[in-house]
Amino acid sequence: MEKFVEVLADKTALIARSRDLILEKIQTAISQRGQFTIALSGGGTPKPLYEALAAESLPWDKIHIFWGDERYVPPQHPDSNQLMARQAWLDRVDLPETHIHPMPTEADNPTADAQAHEAQLKAFFPEAQDFPAFDLILLGIGDDGHTASLFPHTEALEVRDRWVTIGNKDGQPRITFTIPLINHARCVLFLVAGASKQTALEHILAEEGDPLQYPARFIQPQGELYWLLDRAAGSVIEDR
Ligand code: 6PG
């Protein structure tokens, strides 16, 4: 694993740096493998990044969009990660609908939807032995140190034999990639902004710490790991 931690001056610089890094990864993947696969994160932090990517002219016919996690709500629900990304980016560009691979949330049975999505991923990555290698997985962190929908002290943290599982946010189900799937990525990019993330960052990036308490510590990908932070979040790291 190659690990990079960068503290950018502010949110604007953070979004510009993350956009440029993603554009670089798109170019590399398409030149080496003919396509680029990215899994998106939800929450508020990545929205301006998606808006920035919507302004780029890219080979949309070679790009495939997935999600690292999803709230268990219908696709039109205001809390839907899919809806946020579509409104900020995907519905604004000429991306074939067949290249958008949302997590299903309408079976009224999270386990069935998680299994269905795993089957969809296995059909898309038929060559994958144990886990697929996404070109890039975009992640955020919560103030509690969760990432994707891998929350502290939840069962999802123990799943090692599946690609997709059920997250549990205060009793509310989520669909989420598992830790081993995320760690098979060629590149994982954490995008973190705001002072409220300082304490979690200190525990996550410390030499020693409890991954069950701060699940983002479990993310140690076989490829590259980027932590892109704005100064409001990353000043604690700079001052170490
Ligand atoms: C989600 C996310 C989640 C998010 C963090 C940070 O569905 O909520 O995927 O893991 O990245 O909660 O959210 P903010 O960017 O809103 O702080």
Side-chain angles (χ1 to χ4, degrees):
M1 179 184 74
E2 273 190 286
K3 183 176 176 179
F4 309 92
V5 180
E6 297 178 23
V7 180
L8 289 306
D10 53 28
K11 183 93 182 267
T12 306
L14 174 69
I15 296 305
R17 171 65 179 124
S18 51
R19 176 204 58 213
D20 295 348
L21 182 64
I22 291 173
L23 295 180
E24 188 194 304
K25 298 301 173 192
I26 290 173
Q27 212 167 16
T28 306
I30 291 175
S31 66
Q32 292 177 356
R33 290 175 291 279
Q35 69 171 23
F36 175 73
T37 54
I38 181 170
L40 306 182
S41 64
T45 306
K47 189 166 181 246
L49 168 62
Y50 299 157
E51 289 162 349
L53 290 165
E56 298 292 326
S57 102
L58 293 168
W60 301 115
D61 63 332
K62 295 185 175 52
I63 294 174
H64 285 267
I65 307 287
F66 299 81
W67 280 263
D69 73 317
E70 184 58 278
R71 291 89 182 269
Y72 205 65
V73 294
Q76 288 314 314
H77 188 284
D79 292 348
S80 163
N81 288 342
Q82 179 190 167
L83 183 67
M84 186 274 274
R86 280 185 180 276
Q87 292 176 334
W89 176 15
L90 310 179
D91 290 349
R92 300 182 187 195
V93 297
D94 201 15
L95 187 72
E97 189 57 33
T98 53
H99 285 215
I100 300 176
H101 310 271
M103 292 183 156
T105 58
E106 299 188 279
D108 200 15
N109 176 339
T111 303
D113 276 325
Q115 288 166 349
H117 195 51
E118 184 159 325
Q120 289 162 350
L121 293 176
K122 287 188 171 167
F124 185 88
F125 294 101
E127 76 296 340
Q129 305 296 324
D130 44 6
F131 292 94
F134 279 86
D135 292 306
L136 194 143
I137 296 183
L138 183 64
L139 294 172
I141 61 165
D143 299 359
D144 61 357
H146 82 264
T147 191
S149 282
L150 300 164
F151 292 92
H153 301 290
T154 58
E155 283 174 24
L157 302 181
E158 280 134 42
V159 177
R160 293 289 182 278
D161 60 350
R162 290 201 298 283
W163 298 12
V164 181
T165 191
I166 309 298
N168 174 352
K169 178 174 172 48
D170 309 326
Q172 292 304 310
R174 301 266 191 111
I175 310 282
T176 186
F177 280 178
T178 59
I179 291 166
L181 185 149
I182 295 172
N183 282 337
H184 263 75
R186 292 191 178 89
C187 180
V188 171
L189 166 52
F190 278 100
L191 193 65
V192 183
S196 71
K197 305 291 171 69
Q198 288 185 357
T199 305
L201 268 177
E202 269 189 303
H203 288 282
I204 294 165
L205 295 176
E207 283 303 310
E208 303 292 323
D210 177 5
L212 294 175
Q213 186 60 48
Y214 297 97
R217 288 186 64 88
F218 278 118
I219 307 307
Q220 308 293 333
Q222 62 182 11
E224 296 176 323
L225 174 59
Y226 284 87
W227 283 91
L228 298 187
L229 322 170
D230 72 353
R231 183 146 290 130
S235 56
V236 281
I237 305 301
E238 284 184 314
D239 302 344
R240 273 192 314 191

